[in-house]
Amino acid sequence: MTQRLVVIGNGMAGARTVEEILARGGDFTVTMFGDEPYGNYNRIMLSNLLAGVETEEGIFLNDLSWYAENGVTLHTSTRIERIDAESRTVHAGDGSVTPYDKLIIATGSSAWIPPITGISRPGRGYHQGVFAFRTLDDTRRMITYARRHERAVVIGGGLLGLEAARGLQSHLSSVTLLHAAGHLMNAQLDEVSGRMLQQSVEQKLGIEVVCDAMTTEILGKSEVTGVRLADGRVIDCDIVVVAAGIRPNTAVAADSGLPVERGIVVDDQMRVAGYDDVYAVGECAQHRGELYGLVAPLWDQAKVLADHITGHVDVMYQGSKTSTKLKVAGIDVASMGLNAPASDDDEVIVYSEPTRGIHKQVIIRDGVLVGATLVGDNSKASNLIQLFDRGLALPENRAELMFDIGGAVEASVEEMPDDAQVCNCNGVSKGAVCGAVASGCKTVSGVMDKTRAGKGCGTCKPLVQRIVEWANGGAAEEDPAASWYVPGVPMPKPELMAAIRRFELKSVSSVFDKLVPGAVHDAKSKMGLASLLKMMWADEYVDERDARFINDRVHANIQRDGTFSVVPQMKGGVTTPAQLRKIADVAEKYDVPMVKLTGGQRIDLLGIPKEQLPAMWADLDMPSGYAYAKSFRTVKTCVGSDYCRFGVGDSTALGIALEERYQGLEGPGKMKLAVTGCPRNCAEAYCKDLGVVAIDGGKWEIYVGGAAGAHIRKGDLLATVGSADEVIVLTGRFLQYYRENANWLERTYTFVPRIGIDRIREIVVDDTDGIAAALDTAVEVAVQAYRDPWKERAEPATPGQFRKSLPLTVLPQVPVRA
């Protein structure tokens, strides 16, 4: 008979347990409740999201289609406040009551906030500038706030604190890490290895670390201005991130009369003590007195729970041996078992190389590995983890545990047992990887998608590749999709462009209909195709509005609350009193919540409802500043030679000329430019997609492939020319070559190193391939096809283009994982 299964919690442990139950064919109707307005995402990846090396789409584990396809009813933004075990019901904050036959509590944990004076304000929550680091919303708020500030203090020198500090470096000029204990990661590392890690963090990453630092007060009235330590020291900052640990979320269990100590007390079948039909799993569960904060034990628990609830009554969870192998703030760290000897009989072998930031220690008891710590070199970590997990015999020459000596090498893939853990982040074994290959996945990317191996911190990807190659008879098949321009059209970019020209395909739907087997229209490919077609056909392109992202449909940048920002064009950052007066009048007329200067020398009007956009554009009567599209954005300029005593070139005039010529030019990624009047670089031209610098003698240097966002890169020198006209020609030629040859969403700072500056110089400057004239002609056609999109206000492209959409109702919208 079908039973009603209710799961409180839609985090990693709860969702993974449901996956395990469904895989075993359990006969349940499943209802899940989650506090957050999202599906299931990987919290381990939040640090990568903060650092800008991962997108929100990339951290989600299950999109909404997964819940629907598996018959799971998901209630997002819904908190369960009480469990009535006698009547077998759960009571939600919205007043709803849901009955269950089996109940799983997977409430996870929350950030622990130390009792620091000034950390919160009565009735306001955290002090302005103070953040916890636990959820997707926490991460979003930090990123937004960091853009307007300069110095951060991170409280907590554990794994999470180190990752937060590393991530904040992508947004701030200064990050200081405070740790109350004597050395970093004191729960996993001994003092020597902790000090070694600190040395690497400070010297390699430039993060200031202060240990034995007890934070006692957050300073500042309206906003954070600093923190005070117990010894009286004050550290100036305008952001404080608290990453001091976690505490299990046990309130609903405790309030409902279930047994709670440090966590919810469970037996060896993960049942809550005294309740046969109630289970707990994950960080909220206390098993044999232990709480686990790493993911691998959570996966072990999920498997046992799924086995037991589906009828395998003899299974037992006997606890987990904890081990980690990962990069902490970019530095290799591995830890397992003991971090210090527990008795005089323990055998300890240590190798330390401070100048290289390498420290290795193993602890052996009765011939069995009971602990190991590695910092700076993880090459032997996988082998050590296997020896630790299984209690296997150790080599007589103990140095072989740390180094390849006398032909000793890492255990081969063939020798690994099937249940050996490959991916700690997602609990994937060698057997699961081999099973995916046996079921038909012959590519590394396909196996990773199917099993999630390598989808966490990424350190196991090389091992996953070796296993796939071995299971596939020696070599993994090349993933043909890796070279496709967009995921839904099976062609690399050159072949795709050739087919589009051959068949004269001028709309997105015609590309799908002609070039995709079965004429399947792939939503994820539409934006890339639309951009490509506009680049190729200019004013002959047939526009289909469903192929555009919301920003391009309404020509404004959507904000997190569903409003939009309006950025009018100010060529080269130059404006007039009349323009300023007009912008001010419009801001007052429409009661604009925020008027802000952008980093590109423009004025941003934020918080505009969609239905007000056409009227605002009309009142402004200024062209679009293209702050929302994958296109040519702005040209930032300095004062130049007219007013600056150091200027040697009229950067303002050249910047305006470039913006007038290339405004709105479509691209695979956005293109930001700058022109500076001397090498002092006040307009930051060296780190733009394309930058122009005036030098002595009336000459200009052209730099390409620079970046100063989440990625930092000085541009490569393309050419030095003697006139502004030459700058305009070579600039257009480079932009067109980039437009024709870059991958979808590939910025110039990736494109230029991939092609090579020497090769780009041969094509764009020297014309060794004889295509310069064609590039010049193509960009000229694109320039002549320019139409100001804000003129669209008089005749909306679709009836609902500017239809009112606020107030927004938060819905469980989860990006589809690529």
Side-chain angles (χ1 to χ4, degrees):
M1 184 177 68
T2 301
Q3 297 187 81
R4 298 166 297 185
L5 173 63
V6 171
V7 183
I8 305 174
N10 185 40
M12 294 176 70
R16 180 59 171 262
T17 303
V18 170
E19 290 179 0
E20 295 282 354
I21 292 170
L22 295 175
R24 287 157 175 74
D27 190 9
F28 295 99
T29 60
V30 183
T31 302
M32 300 183 71
F33 294 88
D35 281 354
E36 298 180 78
Y38 316 107
N40 174 32
Y41 62 87
N42 189 342
R43 294 187 192 277
I44 298 170
M45 302 299 285
L46 288 176
S47 57
N48 285 347
L49 179 63
L50 178 62
V53 299
E54 184 60 87
T55 64
E56 288 191 7
E57 290 86 347
I59 73 171
F60 278 89
L61 297 172
N62 298 105
D63 59 28
L64 289 184
S65 64
W66 179 86
Y67 295 90
E69 290 167 2
N70 289 278
V72 177
T73 300
L74 173 63
H75 297 281
T76 59
S77 301
T78 305
R79 180 180 288 268
I80 297 299
E81 295 186 342
R82 183 168 63 89
I83 301 166
D84 188 334
E86 185 174 345
S87 65
R88 292 188 179 183
T89 55
V90 295
H91 299 252
D94 59 8
S96 63
V97 178
T98 304
Y100 68 82
D101 297 306
K102 300 287 185 180
L103 175 67
I104 298 173
I105 305 171
T107 46
S109 59
S110 299
W112 178 64
I113 307 300
I116 300 173
T117 302
I119 202 166
S120 61
R121 292 289 186 265
R124 286 174 46 192
Y126 295 140
H127 188 9
Q128 182 77 7
V130 175
F131 301 89
F133 185 30
R134 184 63 182 165
T135 68
L136 175 57
D137 283 344
D138 291 336
T139 310
R140 285 174 168 173
R141 285 190 286 264
M142 275 193 281
I143 292 171
T144 301
Y145 198 81
R147 289 170 182 157
R148 309 193 300 272
H149 296 84
E150 296 180 359
R151 296 177 58 87
V153 159
V154 177
I155 299 175
L159 172 61
L160 195 62
L162 284 158
E163 290 295 325
R166 179 60 166 157
L168 287 168
Q169 277 193 308
S170 300
H171 309 281
L172 299 162
S173 59
S174 172
V175 179
T176 301
L177 182 67
L178 305 180
H179 191 44
H183 63 272
L184 296 179
M185 291 187 67
N186 54 290
Q188 292 85 19
L189 306 181
D190 65 358
E191 182 175 356
V192 175
S193 56
R195 295 289 184 190
M196 194 78 72
L197 177 60
Q198 176 178 342
Q199 175 183 308
S200 296
V201 168
E202 290 179 327
Q203 295 180 357
K204 295 181 180 179
L205 304 182
I207 296 172
E208 181 184 5
V209 178
V210 184
C211 292
D212 293 313
M214 183 66 70
T215 307
T216 58
E217 186 178 2
I218 307 295
L219 305 177
K221 291 185 178 180
S222 59
E223 294 186 353
V224 168
T225 60
V227 300
R228 190 189 311 278
L229 305 184
D231 61 9
R233 282 181 292 174
V234 171
I235 299 177
D236 294 333
C237 65
D238 41 34
I239 297 178
V240 174
V241 175
V242 183
I246 58 176
R247 293 294 183 270
N249 291 325
T250 60
V252 67
D255 293 345
S256 303
L258 275 60
V260 173
E261 295 175 0
R262 290 189 301 147
I264 304 169
V265 180
V266 299
D267 62 16
D268 290 346
Q269 286 72 42
M270 305 309 298
R271 293 174 298 189
V272 175
Y275 296 84
D276 289 343
D277 297 317
V278 182
Y279 298 79
V281 66
E283 292 172 338
C284 66
Q286 177 182 319
H287 174 263
R288 298 186 184 180
E290 294 293 328
L291 296 167
Y292 296 96
L294 299 174
V295 293
L298 275 54
W299 302 158
D300 294 339
Q301 294 176 2
K303 292 174 183 176
V304 170
L305 195 162
D307 281 339
H308 189 267
I309 207 170
T310 55
H312 303 278
V313 296
D314 56 343
V315 295
M316 294 178 60
Y317 175 62
Q318 301 184 45
S320 298
K321 286 187 172 182
T322 57
S323 61
T324 58
K325 175 195 170 194
L326 64 165
K327 282 186 180 293
V328 178
I331 298 165
D332 285 327
V333 174
S335 174
M336 62 208 75
L338 300 178
N339 61 19
S343 72
D344 293 339
D345 295 332
D346 286 345
E347 181 184 350
V348 182
I349 299 99
V350 178
Y351 173 81
S352 190
E353 196 174 348
T355 57
R356 294 180 59 204
I358 293 176
H359 179 79
K360 304 181 182 186
Q361 172 184 280
V362 296
I363 302 173
I364 300 167
R365 181 180 301 159
D366 298 328
V368 176
L369 183 67
V370 294
T373 303
L374 306 174
V375 174
D377 179 8
N378 273 357
S379 60
K380 301 293 287 185
S382 296
N383 192 44
L384 288 172
I385 289 173
Q386 285 191 55
L387 296 172
F388 170 72
D389 283 342
R390 302 174 179 280
L392 301 178
L394 305 181
E396 291 186 12
N397 184 353
R398 304 302 200 208
E400 293 178 11
L401 295 170
M402 297 181 178
F403 309 100
D404 293 334
I405 297 175
V409 295
E410 195 82 27
S412 68
V413 167
E414 186 176 4
E415 293 171 346
M416 289 177 61
D418 281 348
D419 60 349
Q421 190 108 308
V422 173
C423 176
N424 289 329
C425 293
N426 288 310
V428 184
S429 67
K430 173 196 170 184
V433 173
C434 294
V437 175
S439 68
C441 287
K442 304 298 184 181
T443 67
V444 175
S445 60
V447 170
M448 289 172 60
D449 286 339
K450 186 176 181 64
T451 65
R452 293 182 184 158
K455 293 285 190 176
C457 69
T459 57
C460 66
K461 286 182 180 178
L463 179 57
V464 173
Q465 179 167 350
R466 295 205 309 272
I467 295 173
V468 172
E469 290 172 348
W470 172 77
N472 203 37
E477 292 183 4
E478 183 177 349
D479 184 359
S483 64
W484 298 352
Y485 185 62
V486 290
V489 183
M491 290 183 177
K493 187 175 185 179
E495 294 178 17
L496 176 59
M497 291 176 65
I500 287 171
R501 289 195 180 98
R502 182 167 68 254
F503 296 113
E504 296 189 357
L505 306 175
K506 299 181 180 180
S507 69
V508 170
S509 60
S510 67
V511 172
F512 288 132
D513 292 342
K514 185 69 176 178
L515 303 180
V516 178
V520 177
H521 289 220
D522 177 57
K524 292 183 290 184
S525 302
K526 288 185 176 182
M527 285 179 57
L529 285 176
S531 173
L532 182 66
L533 292 170
K534 278 186 276 187
M535 183 272 291
M536 294 177 63
W537 296 111
D539 56 359
E540 295 182 53
Y541 164 68
V542 178
D543 190 11
E544 295 171 328
R545 287 300 164 121
D546 70 340
R548 296 188 181 201
F549 181 57
I550 179 62
N551 286 5
D552 297 290
R553 291 202 297 270
V554 301
H555 315 303
N557 194 17
I558 193 168
Q559 306 299 300
R560 64 173 300 176
D561 62 353
T563 63
F564 292 82
S565 72
V566 170
V567 182
Q569 186 183 60
M570 290 180 178
K571 297 185 180 92
V574 175
T575 187
T576 65
Q579 277 188 341
L580 291 174
R581 192 174 297 112
K582 187 178 293 185
I583 291 171
D585 289 343
V586 167
E588 287 187 344
K589 176 179 178 179
Y590 292 92
D591 195 23
V592 175
M594 177 180 284
V595 180
K596 186 182 183 302
L597 296 178
T598 73
Q601 299 176 333
R602 306 297 185 267
I603 293 178
D604 195 351
L605 306 174
L606 292 135
I608 314 303
K610 184 171 68 171
E611 66 272 14
Q612 291 183 0
L613 293 173
M616 178 176 282
W617 296 338
D619 288 343
L620 284 170
D621 194 27
M622 296 171 67
S624 167
Y626 283 90
Y628 52 83
K630 298 292 182 285
S631 68
F632 183 102
R633 290 288 186 91
T634 60
V635 181
K636 189 173 183 177
T637 66
C638 65
V639 174
S641 56
D642 283 354
Y643 292 95
C644 179
R645 66 185 188 276
F646 301 109
V648 295
D650 191 350
S651 56
T652 303
L654 180 53
I656 291 171
L658 286 169
E659 191 159 347
E660 284 180 338
R661 178 161 178 77
Y662 300 119
Q663 58 190 344
L665 191 69
E666 195 79 23
K670 56 188 174 184
M671 297 164 277
K672 295 183 177 181
L673 281 72
V675 184
T676 189
C678 76
R680 289 172 179 261
N681 197 33
C682 291
E684 301 157 359
Y686 291 116
C687 52
K688 297 293 185 185
D689 292 287
L690 196 154
V692 183
V693 180
I695 59 175
D696 289 333
K699 296 182 179 181
W700 299 90
E701 293 179 334
I702 303 173
Y703 291 84
V704 294
H711 302 270
I712 309 297
R713 185 180 192 272
K714 182 182 177 182
D716 295 324
L717 180 62
L718 177 68
T720 301
V721 298
S723 68
D725 288 342
E726 291 176 275
V727 170
I728 291 175
V729 170
L730 290 184
T731 297
R733 195 176 293 169
F734 168 76
L735 292 177
Q736 183 63 26
Y737 182 69
Y738 163 68
R739 280 162 28 102
E740 291 184 6
N741 293 279
N743 298 322
W744 172 234
L745 300 181
E746 182 180 28
R747 291 288 297 275
T748 61
Y749 58 74
T750 303
F751 173 74
V752 170
R754 177 169 67 84
I755 302 299
I757 187 61
D758 292 336
R759 176 61 178 152
I760 292 174
R761 192 180 294 120
E762 288 175 355
I763 294 168
V764 173
V765 181
D766 302 331
D767 194 22
T768 56
D769 287 21
I771 62 172
L775 294 173
D776 294 341
T777 299
V779 79
E780 179 65 28
V781 170
V783 165
Q784 294 304 319
Y786 171 74
R787 302 290 183 273
D788 179 13
W790 284 5
K791 298 294 185 183
E792 199 174 271
R793 60 182 180 264
E795 297 181 6
T798 63
Q801 185 179 9
F802 301 110
R803 183 181 295 141
K804 183 175 181 179
S805 60
L806 293 177
L808 289 182
T809 300
V810 177
L811 297 174
Q813 297 179 341
V814 182
V816 176
R817 188 175 39 165

